[in-house]
Amino acid sequence: MARRLNQLRKSTLSTHEHLTCSSSILSSSSPRTPGKKAIKGDPIITGIRLRPFLDRESAIDDTPAVQIFETNVICTQNGRPQIFKFTNCFDSSANNKNVYDGMIRSAVLASLQGYNTTVLAYGQTASGKSHSIFGSSNEEGILSLSIDHLITMNGNHHLKFELSFLEIYNEKVTDLLATPAVSTEPSTTKSSSFSKNARTHILNKFACNSTRTLEIREHPLLGPYVPDLKYIQVKTKEDFQNVLNLGNQQRSVASTNANQRSSRSHAIFSVKISRNDVPQSTAKRLLFESNSTSNGKNSSLSNANNKKSVKQQALDELEEQSVRLNFVDLAGSEKSQQFHGSKGKNDRFAESVHINQSLSTLRNVIDALSRQQHHIPYRDSSLTYLLKNSLGGDAKTYMLATISPSSTVIDETINTLRYAGLTAI
Ligand code: ADP
Ligand code: MG
């Protein structure tokens, strides 16, 4: 595994060399020894983003309860100021590009160096998580800016990018790119190039697409994965935008059915980065297997004692060499409200139990990793279980905590700052 990841690192680094990139990560030391355990306090890079007032907030009270001065976040609660310190702070004048340049760009570079990398957006509902990740009609989000960067860096088409987009709602996983029986693609492959026809077909089918819950399984070498998750290969920014629109449309369909479900679900947008050139040894084994199958002869390895086929081994190796760059739009972190009336009360209660459980597990996992504890409680939530390979060990984690300036939600803002403070370096 270590040797193979190193191959990917070397290949991605040479991509950068072609582009004479002068980023600090790339130009500093050589990549960290792959496969090495995270060292104590291995950085979880944390940033705070204060958004501007919304009209409905300033109509009640337009005096900011939160202010940012350099690396200090100053909150005023009941007339009493509290100061929180963070390395990356973005005040209400910052746009998504500023956040990208100040913090997220290094996450993209880390993924290009062969590190599984995760960017988490944490905060209460309406604090600006989705705005930061996905952007708006007026500005691109950090996800789009990251894809831009990846595609520009891959001028020589050395790397392959495949996207997946899933939602975790009440601990259940739904594929946001799932297509109800799309016939325009060969059924033998899960990964496919995105075509306009397929998209039109999918969009037409949305109205009657009942969402299907997917299982999480654990591969002995590769860790947790979702077997039927769809991956779509993208080569251009337009391809990416189509995939994003597709997933977001699916997400909003689910929201209409379950009343603003998007703020009570986690969404994980993953970019799988792999090499376009298959290493010779792996290619040979893939060829060997397909020849032996087409000749009708059984490979002694593929059938004897139920052993894994040579082809499967080669495919696993390829999978091992790929790297994930994940963007996670977490569910709103606010404490559960009292719900009046019986309709929906149980649903909201179940939702808040699941959200609290997964967000506290996320914090426990990050905490246990930074303390190098023996037991890391990944399995305590679907979110952390799925992100297992992208949070611990040889991975980089970024957390962007978003907050509102309004005095009406100052208690939740302070909770967010405390949560992010526990994970900050
Ligand atoms: P969340 O995903 O945390 O629930 P949203 O991203 O949907 O919150 O943001 C809530 C509202 O605030 C949206 O109308 C969004 O456009 C606006 N908003 C959030 N962050 C910003 C920002 N940095 N600048 C301008 N408007 C923002
Ligand atoms: Mg949102």
Side-chain angles (χ1 to χ4, degrees):
M1 169 89 168
R3 181 179 54 81
R4 293 188 202 118
L5 263 180
N6 215 2
Q7 281 172 354
L8 178 66
R9 281 174 196 163
K10 276 187 194 146
S11 80
T12 53
L13 280 173
S14 62
T15 306
H16 291 292
E17 281 154 16
H18 288 298
L19 289 150
T20 58
C21 174
S22 61
S23 135
S24 59
I25 285 187
L26 293 170
S27 59
S28 62
S29 56
S30 56
R32 195 167 61 143
T33 312
K36 205 171 136 188
K37 280 243 169 203
I39 51 162
K40 185 164 179 158
D42 205 16
I44 286 159
I45 295 120
T46 307
I48 299 296
R49 182 180 195 181
L50 174 65
R51 69 153 165 72
F53 270 108
L54 300 177
D55 288 346
R56 62 177 150 89
E57 292 171 332
S58 52
I60 299 170
D61 179 5
D62 65 358
T63 311
V66 185
Q67 282 169 301
I68 286 183
F69 294 106
E70 297 174 348
T71 56
N72 301 300
V73 183
I74 303 162
C75 298
T76 311
Q77 188 184 32
N78 303 326
R80 201 169 57 88
Q82 294 184 54
I83 302 178
F84 298 83
K85 236 178 155 34
F86 290 93
T87 321
N88 301 289
C89 290
F90 302 95
D91 68 19
S92 56
S93 67
N95 59 23
N96 286 339
K97 180 78 168 66
N98 300 138
V99 175
Y100 179 79
D101 289 338
M103 181 175 163
I104 309 301
R105 194 181 159 81
S106 76
V108 176
L109 295 177
S111 71
L112 282 169
Q113 284 188 311
Y115 291 93
N116 284 327
T117 304
T118 297
V119 178
L120 303 154
Y122 178 92
Q124 72 175 122
T125 298
S127 58
K129 300 180 293 296
S130 303
H131 177 91
S132 301
I133 293 188
F134 300 112
S136 65
S137 50
N138 300 329
E139 61 169 325
E140 288 188 275
I142 54 172
L143 168 59
S144 173
L145 293 164
S146 303
I147 298 283
D148 228 4
H149 191 162
L150 287 175
I151 289 174
T152 311
M153 285 292 195
N154 194 31
N156 59 4
H157 305 291
H158 207 60
L159 300 172
K160 181 162 110 181
F161 305 123
E162 291 162 280
L163 309 181
S164 69
F165 196 8
L166 63 81
E167 183 180 58
I168 303 174
Y169 175 68
N170 281 349
E171 290 297 285
K172 294 191 177 110
V173 178
T174 307
D175 190 346
L176 293 174
L177 304 180
T179 59
V182 174
S183 56
T184 47
E185 298 158 342
S187 58
T188 45
T189 174
K190 271 184 247 160
S191 167
S192 56
S193 227
F194 195 76
S195 87
K196 211 171 178 179
N197 284 348
R199 185 171 72 97
T200 315
H201 186 79
I202 295 158
L203 289 175
N204 289 340
K205 289 259 187 177
F206 263 138
C208 58
N209 179 23
S210 59
T211 49
R212 197 161 55 94
T213 300
L214 299 177
E215 263 182 87
I216 306 175
R217 291 214 195 117
E218 183 144 11
H219 186 285
L221 280 177
L222 307 174
Y225 71 109
V226 179
D228 296 323
L229 190 66
K230 186 168 178 75
Y231 286 89
I232 299 180
Q233 188 182 348
V234 295
K235 291 182 177 162
T236 64
K237 193 71 186 298
E238 198 195 350
D239 287 348
F240 154 74
Q241 202 56 54
N242 286 336
V243 173
L244 183 61
N245 293 345
L246 191 64
N248 276 335
Q249 183 155 0
Q250 176 80 304
R251 209 180 175 202
S252 62
V253 168
S255 268
T256 322
N257 296 340
N259 186 20
Q260 287 305 308
R261 163 170 146 163
S262 71
S263 65
R264 293 189 289 273
S265 65
H266 310 296
I268 306 181
F269 192 103
S270 291
V271 187
K272 181 161 115 185
I273 306 171
S274 48
R275 285 167 43 164
N276 251 332
D277 55 329
V278 178
Q280 258 191 1
S281 57
T282 316
K284 260 188 203 162
R285 270 175 294 151
L286 282 168
L287 192 67
F288 163 71
E289 172 74 6
S290 50
N291 282 345
S292 68
T293 313
S294 61
N295 290 340
K297 291 175 196 159
N298 285 337
S299 146
S300 56
L301 273 174
S302 62
N303 277 345
N305 301 328
N306 240 356
K307 272 190 185 162
K308 207 191 276 182
S309 73
V310 175
K311 185 178 180 183
Q312 192 54 50
Q313 281 179 27
L315 288 172
D316 284 355
E317 265 177 38
L318 278 181
E319 186 64 25
E320 264 188 83
Q321 288 174 39
S322 66
V323 159
R324 307 290 160 134
L325 172 60
N326 304 307
F327 291 83
V328 187
D329 187 5
L330 291 166
S333 60
E334 59 275 8
K335 291 244 161 55
S336 64
Q337 309 286 320
Q338 291 299 316
F339 296 100
H340 302 292
S342 58
K343 194 172 184 307
K345 192 176 169 185
N346 290 341
D347 291 352
R348 299 292 97 80
F349 180 72
E351 282 168 354
S352 17
V353 168
H354 288 126
I355 295 167
N356 290 345
Q357 164 80 1
S358 56
L359 293 180
S360 64
T361 302
L362 176 64
R363 197 180 66 190
N364 294 341
V365 163
I366 291 172
D367 202 38
L369 284 167
S370 68
R371 291 169 197 269
Q372 281 199 301
Q373 284 174 355
H374 186 64
H375 173 69
I376 314 288
Y378 292 112
R379 281 172 169 271
D380 289 0
S381 78
S382 299
L383 175 75
T384 47
Y385 190 35
L386 261 182
L387 291 176
K388 185 176 171 189
N389 286 352
S390 303
L391 287 176
D394 203 29
K396 302 277 185 195
T397 309
Y398 291 71
M399 179 178 287
L400 180 66
T402 53
I403 52 174
S404 150
S406 173
S407 59
T408 57
V409 291
I410 191 67
D411 294 354
E412 286 301 341
T413 296
I414 287 173
N415 286 341
T416 297
L417 294 168
R418 287 193 180 130
Y419 183 103
L422 284 173
T423 63
I425 47 167

